[in-house]
Every structure is written in structure tokens, then in C-alpha cells.
Amino acid sequence: MKNNLSNIKKAIKYLNKNQCVGIPTETVYGLAANAYSSAATIKIFKLKKRPQKNPLIVHYYDLKFLKKDCVINKHFLKLYRKYSPGPISYILKLKKNSLISKNVTNKQKTLAVRFPSHPITRNLLKKLNYPLAAPSANISTKISPVSKQDVKDEFGKKIDLILDGGTSKIGIESTIISLVNKPEILRLGGIPKEKLKKYLRLDLQFNSKSKIKSPGQGKTHYSPYIKLRLNVKAINKNEAFILIKKRKKISKNYFYLSKKNNLKEAAKNLYKTLRIIKKRKFKSIGIEKIPNKGFGEVINDRLQRASCFK
Ligand code: TXA
Ligand code: MG
């Protein structure tokens, strides 16, 4: 804990100097900078090689801080009380007098906001007098990081500090829900769609083609840049095989996402497994069919995008 505190102090020092810092969250690691500063947020885009038209999610400690920047509505309050802090991001209307840098929103009138639950990042946010813009800490379109080492592998010495919060518990990005007009889901993620639908008692749809654009949901994303073959029953020679559940027959090409066929556990292990396979220099990956429900739907969404690259 002592170590954590001194590292948090260091992080504050760098952030106050408009530098980027790697931060742990329960979903994936983020590349954070002062969301009120243009000098700081421009560095995020440069480091990630991210197109500037792709807006950033801003991370807050709690509702009190958020009220300075966004217009609050009843659906938001209902969801916030149940799911925040946690793996959900909300799209809200930006207040006219908000201090959020124009880089963050790409001059749009909406803002994506999130309240991460990881204790180290909560502790950091509580001590700052600005919120943190933080996209996933990977080079644009590549696999999101779920550990300090993963962030190091992405940026090497280009960033001064990465806070170590262990392996991310959820291991997949937050669900994004737009509350600007009628609620709709823009990205599947850490809280399954069905749960939100039941709780809000609304006909909540996943709408990747919504009028509220989520530009980051491009065709290629989360990609190891290795050929991926989905829904396969058997693999080719020298191919890695990703399975949902441990099998009796063991081979060094086999990678299990879960011990007991648990889709939440499988989602947690997805990015980690893709990185291991890449490090072992496989040229192709076969993946068995994954049931398209709950976290299975999230895994399928990510695999679909991961497999689209030229
Ligand atoms: O779990 C997460 O959400 C992680 C952790 C670090 O918090 N962050 C994350 O950020 O996944 P990023 O930048 O990799 O993905 C954010 C997505 C992008 O697809 C972006 O286009 C979308 O959110 N987005 C950001 N602002 C938006 C807005 N105002 N309206 C619609 N979509 C927005
Ligand atoms: Mg990302």
C-alpha cells in the first residue's frame, strides 16, 4: 500500500506536468492525461497513433465531479446508482461551460464518461482536481492491455510511468450506453446487454450504426494482426487453437479461455491469450464456436473486429 501511495504521488506529478500515465482499471489499462488540458490530451492521440476524430472516454471519481461537465438525466442516475463505479461508460450531453478540452470530444456536444472501480485509479482520481481522459493503452486498432507489462509492450519508454494494478479483473472494455436520446448500446462490454435491458425495462438495442457515432467501433480493432479463423471445429498444422473449455486431449497449440466453460472467465482471458499467442509467433489462429449470449456475445464482437485486417 505504501508503495502504491508513493507511485500515486509520482503519477500526480507527471499528470500535473501534462504527461501521460498508464493506469489500471477493472476493464483494461488506460493511457491517462488531464482531460481539461489540450497540451496533455494531444499526447494521447500521438502516442496511440489515434485519429483525432475518435473522441476519448473521461474518467471521474464520482457524480459530484461529473456535474461540472455534463447534463445529468434520469436514466443516467438509475444506472449510476447500480453500476458505478464499474465497467460501464455513459454518453451524456456536455455542459456549455465545461472545461473539457476540445481534443477529447472532437468538438462534439456529447461526452463519454466512466467511473472505474479499480482502487488504485479511484485513489488517484480522488486526489486530482481534474478528470482523466483515458482510452485503452494500446496502439490504435491493436489488442487492449490487461496488465502493466502489456502497456510496456505497447509504448516501451515513450511513457514515464505505468501504475501497477495487477491483471484487470474484467479483461474486456466497458459497455458504452448512449443516454443522449433514447438509451442505446454503442459498444458491448463489461456489463451484458441483457442485464441492462432488464434493469431499465427498455427495449435496449446494440446499435453500432447509431446517430450518436462511436467512431472507435471501426471494422478493424482489438487485433493481434494474425490470421483468425472463427467457428472452427479443427485446426490446421502449426495453427494455435483457442477453446472455451479445457479438453482432455492436451497439445501445446491449445489455449483455453476458461476452466469450466464460463463465458465471463473466457472474456477475461481473451486479450491475454491473444498476446501470448502473438509472442509465440503463431501465424494463424483457429477459434471454436462461441455461444452468442452474455459475455459470449462480447467475445464474438471483439473476435469479429480482430479478424478484419489487411
Ligand atoms: O473500459 C474502457 O472503456 C476503457 C478503460 C481504459 O476505461 N477505455 C476504452 O477507451 O475502451 P477507448 O478510447 O479505447 O474506447 C472508447 C470508445 C471509442 O470507440 C470512442 O469512439 C467511443 O468510446 N466514444 C468516445 N466518446 C464518445 C462520444 N462522445 N460519443 C460516442 N462514442 C464515443
Ligand atoms: Mg480502445
Side-chain angles (χ1 to χ4, degrees):
M1 193 61 194
K2 204 173 158 218
N3 185 31
N4 277 344
L5 278 179
S6 73
N7 281 334
I8 287 176
K9 274 192 190 151
K10 260 195 217 165
I12 295 171
K13 223 173 81 189
Y14 283 120
L15 291 164
N16 284 344
K17 283 197 221 158
N18 288 335
Q19 301 289 3
C20 296
V21 170
I23 58 165
T25 91
E26 70 281 15
T27 57
V28 299
Y29 273 64
L31 183 64
N34 178 354
Y36 290 160
S37 157
S38 294
T41 48
I42 194 73
K43 290 179 184 161
I44 295 180
F45 290 89
K46 286 202 175 128
L47 281 163
K48 272 183 66 84
K49 304 193 175 89
R50 179 174 174 121
Q52 256 185 274
K53 66 172 201 309
N54 190 357
L56 306 176
I57 298 183
V58 177
H59 297 60
Y60 288 87
Y61 179 71
D62 68 8
L63 187 58
K64 199 177 93 217
F65 284 80
L66 175 77
K67 279 181 175 164
K68 294 179 191 163
D69 295 318
C70 287
V71 182
I72 305 302
N73 62 43
K74 75 169 198 288
H75 287 308
F76 168 76
L77 281 175
K78 190 168 176 188
L79 288 165
Y80 175 83
R81 281 191 203 114
K82 186 159 174 80
Y83 292 112
S84 293
I88 182 166
S89 298
Y90 311 96
I91 311 291
L92 297 170
K93 278 191 189 137
L94 196 61
K95 278 191 174 164
K96 282 209 178 80
N97 59 354
S98 151
L99 296 176
I100 293 289
S101 157
K102 297 269 187 291
N103 289 338
V104 170
T105 55
N106 185 31
K107 298 182 191 131
Q108 290 187 91
K109 293 190 172 72
T110 60
L111 186 68
V113 304
R114 181 161 123 67
F115 307 85
S117 67
H118 195 294
I120 293 178
T121 290
R122 268 184 75 68
N123 202 340
L124 172 65
L125 286 167
K126 197 174 179 184
K127 291 185 164 67
L128 295 169
N129 52 12
Y130 46 81
L132 291 176
S136 52
N138 52 279
I139 306 292
S140 202
T141 78
K142 296 199 174 167
I143 313 172
S144 300
V146 294
S147 68
K148 179 179 175 179
Q149 185 59 46
D150 291 350
V151 182
K152 246 190 190 161
D153 288 349
E154 292 291 315
F155 299 108
K157 293 205 171 108
K158 288 187 186 150
I159 51 177
D160 297 310
L161 181 70
I162 307 163
L163 292 175
D164 191 351
T167 304
S168 298
K169 277 198 180 131
I170 308 272
I172 208 125
E173 297 79 358
S174 60
T175 301
I176 302 183
I177 183 166
S178 168
L179 304 172
V180 175
N181 302 312
K182 185 174 160 253
E184 54 185 359
I185 292 188
L186 305 186
R187 177 175 74 184
L188 299 169
I191 297 175
K193 184 182 75 187
E194 296 310 318
K195 265 197 181 175
L196 295 173
K197 204 167 169 173
K198 225 170 166 185
Y199 177 65
L200 284 178
R201 295 197 199 153
L202 287 174
D203 174 33
L204 196 59
Q205 297 295 329
F206 170 41
N207 187 359
S208 55
K209 296 196 174 67
S210 166
K211 260 199 259 163
I212 305 296
K213 290 270 175 302
S214 204
Q217 292 306 291
K219 230 178 156 195
T220 311
H221 212 148
Y222 318 109
S223 183
Y225 287 83
I226 303 174
K227 187 174 155 202
L228 286 184
R229 298 191 307 118
L230 308 182
N231 305 327
V232 302
K233 288 210 173 95
I235 46 163
N236 301 325
K237 202 174 163 231
N238 298 331
E239 195 171 36
F241 199 6
I242 298 187
L243 300 149
I244 282 290
K245 187 179 141 200
K246 200 161 182 177
R247 287 190 184 180
K248 277 192 190 136
K249 190 174 158 257
I250 309 271
S251 151
K252 68 174 180 6
N253 290 17
Y254 286 26
F255 297 86
Y256 308 102
L257 294 182
S258 158
K259 280 189 200 125
K260 289 191 180 153
N261 212 7
N262 177 319
L263 290 171
K264 188 171 185 187
E265 188 191 350
K268 178 188 172 188
N269 289 322
L270 178 67
Y271 293 149
K272 200 168 91 184
T273 305
L274 289 173
R275 273 182 195 268
I276 292 172
I277 292 174
K278 191 169 172 80
K279 277 191 181 163
R280 299 215 188 140
K281 305 217 178 329
F282 281 96
K283 297 278 180 292
S284 173
I285 308 174
I287 300 170
E288 78 171 342
K289 189 168 178 164
I290 293 164
N292 205 38
K293 57 172 202 277
F295 277 95
E297 196 184 5
V298 189
I299 297 173
N300 284 327
D301 170 82
R302 300 302 193 266
L303 288 175
Q304 198 62 49
R305 296 174 205 276
S307 65
C308 288
F309 66 92
K310 282 186 195 119

